[in-house]
Amino acid sequence: MHFSQILVGATAFLSTGVVAQLSGTVGPKTSVASKTAKKKCSVLDYGAKADKTTDLGPPLASAFAACKTGGTIVIPSGDYALKTWVTLNGGSAWALQIDGIIYRTGTAGGNMIFIEHTSDVEVFSSTGKGAIQGNGYEFHAQGSRSGPRILRTYDVDRFSVHDLILVDSPAFHFSMDTCKNGEVYNMAIRGGNWGGLDGVDVWSTNMWIHDIMVTNKDECVTVKSPSTNILIENIYCNWSGGCALGSLGANTAISKIQYKNVYTWNSNQMMMIKSNGGSGYAEDLVFENFIGHGNAYSLDIDQYWSSMSTIAGDGVKLTNVTMKNWKGTEANGAQRGPIKIACADGAPCTELTISDFAMWTETGSKQTYTCRSGYGSGFCLKASGSASYAAVTSTVSAAPSGYSAATMADDLKTAFGTTVSIPIPTMPASFFPGATPISALAGS
Ligand SMILES: *[C@@H]1O[C@H](CO)[C@@H](O)[C@H](O)[C@H]1NC(C)=O
Ligand SMILES: *[C@@H]1O[C@H](CO)[C@@H](O)[C@H](O)[C@H]1NC(C)=O
């Protein structure tokens, strides 16, 4: 454990009785009701029209200016066009209620909605039907990834984003950069079947991210550096890239990250830690209760990741990583076995624990487990030592007992592609087999 983490552990959090992985209270300080009671700023009073043509950008900026020091900005139900991007900068104790559907019509890069330097903020849909339709296919069909991201938060403290639907971003869907004490939940994110269209990316402190569905072909819910005290649970990667840590480079500083109840279907991996060279650490990580079906990789620690160029340094040091209760099946276990651990030879992994792990192949009748420079317990990991070692592979030709695991009735059967409009989904009732959302879905 690093010294800086000890300092944040003392806040008055015990009363809520939740989750050890967090270091303190998350979410806005004051309720939407109290914000709305103070002041309500409907975009319709600032020139917006629900005609799918009039630019929502300037009215939203004006409504924000009027309510940013305390109040609720409301986008009522109806269809709006967003032609110019909006930065919601500063203020505090405000909420943004998106009950309408916002269609991107502008073509600039950047972020359609960018929230920064603010606190006590809630961005949500009161009906669970509010959505932002990025119409990314208009770019993607031309082979272009140059369009905007949908939503980005930077330097935001005590906030929540919930019950919103983000669709077909031209680039990333939702990034949280250097934020703290946030809660993100009840979100459906659906993008094109391409790399570069990340679902949720977070590099922040003390965050609770739960009940999220992501369809795309890149990051599902991914943690980047620096990050600490992040709890991610009830995640449905419904035809995605899958969840990951990374990619990690120089001076990586990641600690106390827990993923729990992650269901991954038809993705690149169930969980990946990806780097190639670099330095720093990722430690005190827990990946528990994972179910996978139809994925290429399952557990994939790749510190020689070929999709990034090698960065100077001996490697990012992984310590104290627990993988427990993984079940299900992988697409082809002889091609890509369910455990692939390739730690940096210059910084071997230590204290890795793999337990209660049972997965089996959907194709053929054998699968492999591979370990390189990793120490700890379970499967092909070496129990003791600290020197690098070459990859050791074992092959098994019988299914482990207890591998079978539930599927979700709603698993996507065909990708959305990148050339035609992607329909706005409704919020799923559940994000993990047998689990109900931790907070009731809005409008349910
Ligand atoms: C390992 O990480 C877990 C999860 O963050 C933590 O609870 C535990 O204290 C860590 N163990 C050590 C020896 O630091
Ligand atoms: C997964 O994607 C499919 C296709 O969009 C959708 O029908 C289904 O509702 C999604 N699953 C969930 C739980 O949202």
Side-chain angles (χ1 to χ4, degrees):
M1 158 178 297
H2 283 250
F3 183 63
S4 59
Q5 294 166 220
I6 298 168
L7 299 178
V8 296
T11 34
F13 187 58
L14 295 173
S15 57
T16 63
V18 215
V19 290
Q21 209 63 32
L22 301 177
S23 61
T25 309
V26 294
K29 286 189 209 162
T30 56
S31 69
V32 170
S34 68
K35 287 165 178 152
T36 308
K38 181 159 183 217
K39 192 170 183 186
K40 187 170 160 181
C41 302
S42 168
V43 292
L44 298 177
D45 297 329
Y46 295 86
K49 289 194 173 59
D51 60 3
K52 222 176 161 182
T53 304
T54 306
D55 184 11
L56 176 66
L60 177 55
S62 303
F64 174 71
C67 258
K68 69 189 270 189
T69 53
T72 300
I73 302 115
V74 181
I75 302 172
S77 65
D79 291 341
Y80 302 84
L82 187 67
K83 196 167 177 213
T84 52
W85 311 155
V86 188
T87 297
L88 308 178
N89 182 339
S92 74
W94 57 271
L96 172 60
Q97 180 175 332
I98 304 177
D99 291 340
I101 298 177
I102 300 171
Y103 294 84
R104 178 196 61 77
T105 58
T107 55
N111 300 282
M112 292 169 59
I113 298 182
F114 186 24
I115 301 172
E116 62 175 347
H117 307 308
T118 183
S119 65
D120 189 6
V121 167
E122 186 156 352
V123 178
F124 72 108
S125 168
S126 73
T127 56
K129 296 194 169 73
I132 303 177
Q133 167 58 280
N135 285 323
Y137 77 97
E138 294 174 356
F139 290 87
H140 306 152
Q142 314 300 317
S144 165
R145 286 170 166 79
S146 64
R149 304 169 181 193
I150 290 183
L151 178 64
R152 185 177 178 91
T153 59
Y154 171 62
D155 184 27
V156 182
D157 182 19
R158 294 297 302 266
F159 69 104
S160 66
V161 177
H162 63 95
D163 292 285
L164 268 183
I165 299 168
L166 308 180
V167 184
D168 198 10
S169 186
F172 298 174
H173 289 79
F174 183 17
S175 305
M176 287 169 276
D177 174 354
T178 321
C179 295
K180 57 187 184 204
N181 309 321
E183 184 178 8
V184 175
Y185 57 99
N186 300 353
M187 305 267 299
I189 296 175
R190 177 185 276 183
N193 187 40
W194 247 17
L197 310 179
D198 299 17
V200 178
D201 290 318
V202 57
W203 55 109
S204 288
T205 299
N206 196 41
M207 303 282 304
W208 190 14
I209 299 172
H210 59 92
D211 299 292
I212 311 276
M213 193 264 293
V214 175
T215 303
N216 59 355
K217 207 62 192 176
D218 209 317
E219 308 302 338
C220 181
V221 178
T222 282
V223 173
K224 296 172 181 285
S225 176
S227 284
T228 188
N229 293 103
I230 301 188
L231 175 64
I232 296 169
E233 61 183 314
N234 295 354
I235 303 299
Y236 188 178
C237 307
N238 182 14
W239 196 300
S240 168
C243 292
L245 258 51
S247 42
L248 308 177
N251 304 314
T252 293
I254 292 182
S255 63
K256 293 195 174 283
I257 311 298
Q258 181 170 13
Y259 279 80
K260 184 177 158 184
N261 297 357
V262 176
Y263 179 90
T264 310
W265 154 247
N266 207 341
S267 297
N268 300 345
Q269 78 270 344
M270 292 168 68
M271 184 74 215
M272 182 174 188
I273 301 180
K274 48 186 170 182
S275 62
N276 191 346
S279 58
Y281 61 88
E283 64 185 19
D284 302 338
L285 315 174
V286 179
F287 307 117
E288 71 177 315
N289 308 345
F290 275 58
I291 293 176
H293 296 288
N295 303 296
Y297 290 99
S298 301
L299 171 59
D300 185 14
I301 297 179
D302 190 349
Q303 299 201 271
Y304 294 89
W305 191 41
S306 59
S307 296
M308 72 185 279
S309 39
T310 309
I311 289 173
D314 289 341
V316 177
K317 169 87 176 148
L318 305 183
T319 312
N320 186 20
V321 186
T322 298
M323 280 78 38
K324 112 179 139 194
N325 191 22
W326 285 49
K327 300 281 179 274
T329 53
E330 74 274 0
N332 185 332
Q335 259 172 21
R336 300 183 185 90
I339 295 178
K340 181 195 153 202
I341 295 178
C343 296
D345 289 340
C349 304
T350 50
E351 296 171 58
L352 305 184
T353 308
I354 308 175
S355 64
D356 197 8
F357 186 111
M359 296 198 60
W360 184 237
T361 183
E362 290 161 19
T363 311
S365 56
K366 57 183 184 186
Q367 64 182 18
T368 59
Y369 306 120
T370 304
C371 297
R372 168 176 174 180
S373 296
Y375 290 92
S377 65
F379 295 85
C380 47
L381 291 168
K382 289 200 176 178
S384 61
S386 57
S388 63
Y389 63 86
V392 184
T393 298
S394 56
T395 304
V396 293
S397 49
S401 66
Y403 75 86
S404 83
T407 54
M408 297 286 270
D410 278 342
D411 286 348
L412 180 58
K413 302 299 186 295
T414 319
F416 287 110
T418 53
T419 57
V420 294
S421 179
I422 296 181
I424 297 171
T426 51
M427 205 64 79
S430 169
F431 300 84
F432 186 79
T436 45
I438 293 165
S439 298
L441 300 174
S444 67

